[in-house]
Amino acid sequence: MLLDPEFLIVQTLNGLQLSALLFLLSIGLSVVFGLINFINLAHGTLFMLGAYFALSAARAFDSFWLVLLVAPVGVAVVGGLLYLVLLRHMQRADPMKQVLVTFGLIFVGLESVMIVWGPLPHTIDVPALLAGSSSVLGQVYPTYRLFIIALGLAVFLLLYLGLERTRLGAIVRAGVDNRTMVAALGIDIGLVFFLVFCLGCGLAGLAGVVAAPVFSIFPGMDMSVLILALIVVVLGGPGSLKGAGLGSLIIGIADTYGQVLVPELARVTIYALMALILIFKPAGLVPVRSGH
Amino acid sequence: MPDGALLRLEALDAYYGRSHVLQGVSLSVESASVVALLGRNGAGKSTTLKAIMGIVAPAGGSIRFDGEAIHHLASHRIARRGIAYVPEDRGIFASLTVEEHLSLTLPRAVTRGPSSKEAIYEQFPVLAERRRHRGNELSGGEQQMLAIARALTQSPRLLILDEPTEGLAPIVIESIAGIVHSLKGAGLTMLLVEQNYPFAVGLSERVYVLGKGRVRWEGSPAALEASPEVAATWLGV
Ligand SMILES: Nc1ncnc2c1ncn2[C@@H]1O[C@H](COP(=O)(O)OP(=O)(O)OP(=O)(O)O)[C@@H](O)[C@H]1O
Ligand SMILES: [Mg+2]
């Protein structure tokens, strides 16, 4: 089966599609963790919220492109409010408290979507423009899934340019390295951090929006991706864009092949892979901190 | 502000957990002067500087800059009042290039004046050669120069230096000393923490000796030279 080119092409594309979603989801988690050592377990909830917002937005607007814009912005606003009323006050709390509070938020999110959208699964249509199939290396593959891969890649490149070529990007990199020093230079790192947090939430929402036409939308759809995203963050090295990209690629492909080749051991292969990499690279694949 | 001090610490207290690290520290820095803060390892020198910068929250006492209380302000607001800080560990960002370090605090491309990048490169030719190198590719001396250069991009009214010569080779110390002397020549107000006794004494107008969280002695460098018992008790020289 492994040597069948048809199988290889399709599964690799499936893997890349999962990688793209994981990247959109994990990059916010990773940079936030890198900036303030804060692990927001409710990050997956924002992914789910993105999908539900897309559901409602798709009913309100005809244009998928409008949905693609509006729903993530909505999620970013929710994330921003969450930060201002709750998470901001927890930055100095001990990690156990952070875990408990953000873990609690997962259930609040779950209940909320059940109240608003009901317990049953929903689906939304693939936008007409991307509905068909395309040929990749002679293999037919859904165009929409290719779009997800391209979107992941485009976001990666945009973030890369933003981080490497702008002053704000330099401030974010400096903040991941040594937040105290950035503040001592007269830069309001709290404000910069807030913007980054909202952007990360928006990207998690974007992942939910683009995932919505492929997977069904249901309360709890965030759980399995959250775990994969957490693995990506640890694996890639918290705070690193390249790490999140590389980690997503490895986990997306490994999980996809694991599911089809050894379905009984699907998730075990991922954990084993993570453990193996961390033995050789304890700070993640792309460690960014110089030790503060 | 009856006496014209640019910076004034009054009865400053600070704790790390339960340990009382600063116990009523008072000192002042006059405009256009250089003040040295000396003391043995663990005396509380760095903590005093961190309290000024708002990195360590004082538990009591006051810090005034230009007559206004700043001890309740966030770090970035203190810096914006005109205080630049070169920490003991230099605070160089591993993934940022030299050029990026010098651009961080310059929102609009400042192209003229003493705090412009070009003027700074002129003053630090070593950095000009290394502008595309990242922080983690620099030697200790280059990092120290960069930390000072970055502080200068803020056009500070007060420059705070924490052991700028620590751990550097004699020849590098010489060039750092040269830079700091020329900053003094240009009239920059500085508060300097040093263990390099000759350098500190040669540079400053006033010396404070800190021991176990308290100011144990203060006076002119000449008076300190004339009191070997102070140096023996509190500095170990
Ligand atoms: N983050 C911290 N947590 C707990 N204790 C600390 C911390 N930083 C410093 N201390 C303690 O506070 C005291 C004063 O430290 P400080 O760094 O101000 O000394 P210093 O005079 O700068 O010494 P050195 O010459 O070694 O730099 C020391 O006893 C030190 O062990
Ligand atoms: Mg010190």
Side-chain angles (χ1 to χ4, degrees):
Chain A
M1 186 164 59
L2 255 181
L3 294 175
D4 176 8
E6 206 170 286
F7 171 84
L8 278 179
I9 293 170
V10 169
Q11 293 308 329
T12 302
L13 288 173
N14 284 344
L16 289 177
Q17 181 218 245
L18 181 59
S19 301
L21 289 175
L22 282 178
F23 171 71
L24 292 178
L25 189 57
S26 59
I27 184 58
L29 203 58
S30 177
V31 171
V32 166
F33 189 54
L35 267 176
I36 53 163
N37 272 324
F38 185 94
I39 196 83
N40 177 18
L41 291 179
H43 202 69
T45 302
L46 299 167
F47 167 82
M48 176 171 69
L49 217 52
Y52 275 103
F53 280 7
L55 180 68
S56 294
R59 288 173 184 162
F61 316 111
D62 269 343
S63 157
F64 173 74
W65 306 109
L66 203 54
V67 173
L68 199 62
L69 183 74
V70 168
V73 169
V75 174
V77 169
V78 171
L81 290 175
L82 210 58
Y83 177 81
L84 291 178
V85 296
L86 193 62
L87 304 182
R88 176 167 58 145
H89 309 291
M90 302 199 51
Q91 286 184 28
R92 278 176 188 73
D94 71 291
M96 201 55 209
K97 238 185 230 160
Q98 299 177 351
V99 165
L100 287 177
V101 166
T102 58
F103 195 62
L105 282 177
I106 294 180
F107 294 99
V108 174
L110 213 55
E111 285 299 317
S112 308
V113 296
M114 289 223 249
I115 290 167
V116 178
W117 288 279
L120 296 176
H122 299 272
T123 52
I124 62 176
D125 291 335
V126 170
L129 185 66
L130 302 169
S133 304
S134 305
S135 162
V136 181
L137 301 171
Q139 191 57 48
V140 188
Y141 195 76
T143 307
Y144 184 73
R145 290 172 169 243
L146 293 175
F147 162 74
I148 294 180
I149 298 173
L151 184 71
L153 204 60
V155 169
F156 178 87
L157 289 176
L158 276 177
L159 291 179
Y160 180 80
L161 288 178
L163 271 177
E164 293 292 327
R165 297 284 153 81
T166 68
R167 196 174 72 94
L168 186 62
I171 291 174
V172 171
R173 279 183 293 135
V176 169
D177 194 347
N178 185 347
R179 196 177 186 207
T180 310
M181 189 65 225
V182 176
L185 292 173
I187 295 165
D188 188 352
I189 187 70
L191 178 65
V192 172
F193 169 69
F194 176 66
L195 297 175
V196 169
F197 185 86
C198 291
L199 178 66
C201 293
L203 289 175
L206 180 65
V209 176
V210 294
V214 179
F215 308 101
S216 66
I217 307 168
F218 60 95
M221 66 183 283
D222 50 329
M223 283 319 285
S224 60
V225 285
L226 170 68
I227 291 167
L228 288 181
L230 287 171
I231 294 176
V232 166
V233 172
V234 174
L235 198 61
S240 161
L241 175 70
K242 283 184 200 156
L246 196 58
S248 302
L249 209 55
I250 292 174
I251 295 302
I253 302 263
D255 189 62
T256 305
Y257 274 98
Q259 302 268 10
V260 286
L261 293 179
V262 274
E264 321 79 51
L265 295 176
R267 283 287 142 82
V268 179
T269 51
I270 296 293
Y271 293 125
L273 185 66
M274 174 174 83
L276 195 70
I277 293 177
L278 290 181
I279 287 171
F280 293 105
K281 290 241 157 200
L285 291 167
V286 189
V288 288
R289 271 181 251 185
S290 51
H292 294 278
Chain B
M1 202 175 66
D3 52 358
L6 183 59
L7 179 77
R8 177 174 286 280
L9 276 56
E10 212 128 9
L12 202 66
D13 274 296
Y15 291 79
Y16 285 119
R18 287 227 196 98
S19 81
H20 198 174
V21 180
L22 298 185
Q23 311 181 6
V25 171
S26 299
L27 63 81
S28 60
V29 181
E30 304 288 318
S31 242
S33 76
V34 177
V35 169
L37 186 57
L38 309 181
R40 290 176 192 261
N41 288 332
K45 306 180 297 292
S46 295
T47 307
T48 305
L49 302 190
K50 285 179 187 168
I52 297 169
M53 290 314 296
I55 296 168
V56 168
S62 70
I63 305 174
R64 299 183 153 267
F65 183 65
D66 210 2
E68 289 176 51
I70 57 166
H71 50 266
H72 56 281
L73 296 179
S75 222
H76 69 275
R77 295 196 190 281
I78 294 171
R80 284 181 195 172
R81 296 276 172 117
I83 307 182
Y85 172 54
V86 175
E88 199 168 5
D89 67 5
R90 300 170 193 141
I92 294 305
F93 307 113
S95 80
L96 268 63
T97 62
V98 168
E99 184 97 3
E100 283 173 330
H101 276 89
L102 300 179
S103 310
L104 278 181
T105 63
L106 299 174
R108 301 154 297 278
V110 174
T111 50
R112 277 122 107 354
S115 66
S116 74
K117 250 184 288 178
E118 290 319 312
I120 281 173
Y121 281 139
E122 233 165 80
Q123 206 174 351
F124 299 85
V126 186
L127 297 180
E129 280 166 34
R130 306 281 254 148
R131 40 174 102 194
R132 307 253 168 268
H133 289 256
R134 295 190 187 263
N136 57 3
E137 301 164 350
L138 303 178
S139 70
E142 289 164 347
Q143 289 193 344
Q144 192 58 259
M145 303 232 185
L146 180 55
I148 297 172
R150 176 181 60 188
L152 295 179
T153 63
Q154 295 171 256
S155 316
R157 298 166 63 200
L158 171 67
L159 177 62
I160 294 181
L161 298 157
D162 198 345
E163 304 204 29
T165 66
E166 189 192 14
L168 300 177
I171 181 149
V172 183
I173 293 182
E174 226 171 274
S175 62
I176 299 273
I179 289 162
V180 176
H181 273 284
S182 77
L183 292 174
K184 178 187 159 88
L188 184 59
T189 313
M190 287 185 271
L191 174 57
L192 171 77
V193 163
E194 255 308 339
Q195 304 243 19
N196 183 335
Y197 181 79
F199 169 50
V201 168
L203 186 74
S204 53
E205 271 96 29
R206 189 165 187 81
V207 176
Y208 288 84
V209 175
L210 211 57
K212 296 187 181 145
R214 293 180 191 203
V215 173
R216 303 293 174 168
W217 187 89
E218 60 177 285
S220 68
L224 182 60
E225 301 270 64
S227 336
E229 73 289 350
V230 172
T233 315
W234 298 109
L235 302 175
V237 287

